[in-house]
Amino acid sequence: TIEDTLNYATKTKTPLVIATTGFNDEELGKIKEASNIIPIFHSSNMSLGVNVLIKLVKEAAKALNKFDIEIIEKHHNKKLDAPSGTAVMIANGVKEVLPDSEYVYGRHGRSDKRNSNEIGIHAVRCGTIVGEHTTIFAGHDEVVEIKHTAQSKDIFAKGSIEAAKFLVKQEAGYYNMNNMLG
């Protein structure tokens, strides 16, 4: 469990890279609390490219704030959670820029028109797709898409190694990709 991992890491003063999703508020609180003792790097997605995508999406949301925004994520047919943690990270990035945004998961059963403050989030599960995330900004007569495709899971390991190299040079604290990427 995350509690066992945090207990071990704080007792041994071991810096910790956390690259998983699905923590509840209590668990997130314990992670933040442990970061007062040891350096902790936490990201729901360890891909350097995805984290740059989130920065780009935030910039686009600032500039295209009157556009409709939709997020489509695709993964393999064995993935359990929907939407993905990465799709939620992207949506949260938009919400930082446009705080009145409301998440709408899919459109099934809806019979009203789209509200201007919606962020549509859609999950596709099929085949062996490692991961694909597209953020669509659709305005009057123009569309901008920002997309990332993971072609193998190697990118997550590479990002985790880069995070560990970054983390061992840090003091106790809570770090993420924004800290590492500058």
Side-chain angles (χ1 to χ4, degrees):
T1 69
I2 190 62
E3 287 184 43
D4 293 335
T5 303
L6 292 170
N7 287 337
Y8 174 82
T10 55
K11 283 179 186 170
T12 61
K13 303 290 190 241
T14 304
L16 188 59
V17 174
I18 301 173
T20 55
T21 61
F23 295 117
N24 62 38
D25 289 340
E26 181 183 341
E27 292 166 327
L28 288 171
K30 289 180 181 184
I31 292 168
K32 296 251 173 99
E33 188 178 311
S35 74
N36 293 319
I37 300 167
I38 59 169
I40 295 180
F41 188 103
H42 182 207
S43 179
S44 297
N45 189 306
M46 297 306 292
S47 159
L48 301 177
V50 159
N51 284 279
V52 169
L53 171 133
I54 292 168
K55 286 183 172 215
L56 294 171
V57 164
K58 288 166 77 170
E59 287 302 311
K62 286 178 197 171
L64 307 173
N65 58 35
K66 301 291 187 226
F67 281 43
D68 294 333
I69 303 170
E70 299 280 319
I71 299 165
I72 301 170
E73 57 97 345
K74 301 176 186 175
H75 286 87
H76 53 87
N77 60 16
K78 306 279 189 266
K79 185 165 181 60
L80 300 178
D81 61 326
S84 68
T86 301
V88 173
M89 284 175 64
I90 295 167
N92 289 343
V94 172
K95 194 166 180 74
E96 285 178 32
V97 175
L98 304 172
D100 293 334
S101 298
E102 293 181 15
Y103 303 162
V104 173
Y105 300 96
R107 302 240 176 251
H108 179 76
R110 293 180 64 101
S111 58
D112 50 343
K113 71 179 186 87
R114 184 188 202 287
N115 290 321
S116 61
N117 66 332
E118 289 181 7
I119 300 174
I121 304 173
H122 312 278
V124 175
R125 298 289 177 265
C126 55
T128 58
I129 300 168
V130 174
E132 184 178 296
H133 294 84
T134 304
T135 305
I136 302 167
F137 295 85
H140 182 77
D141 292 340
E142 63 181 325
V143 175
V144 175
E145 291 187 10
I146 303 173
K147 178 179 177 181
H148 177 269
T149 302
Q151 296 177 332
S152 83
K153 292 185 179 185
D154 292 352
I155 63 172
F156 308 118
K158 183 178 186 294
S160 296
I161 291 168
E162 293 300 317
K165 287 179 183 177
F166 166 83
L167 195 61
V168 296
K169 299 175 188 168
Q170 307 307 315
E171 298 294 322
Y174 185 79
Y175 302 92
N176 60 35
M177 281 288 182
N178 289 332
N179 302 115
M180 188 172 87
L181 297 174

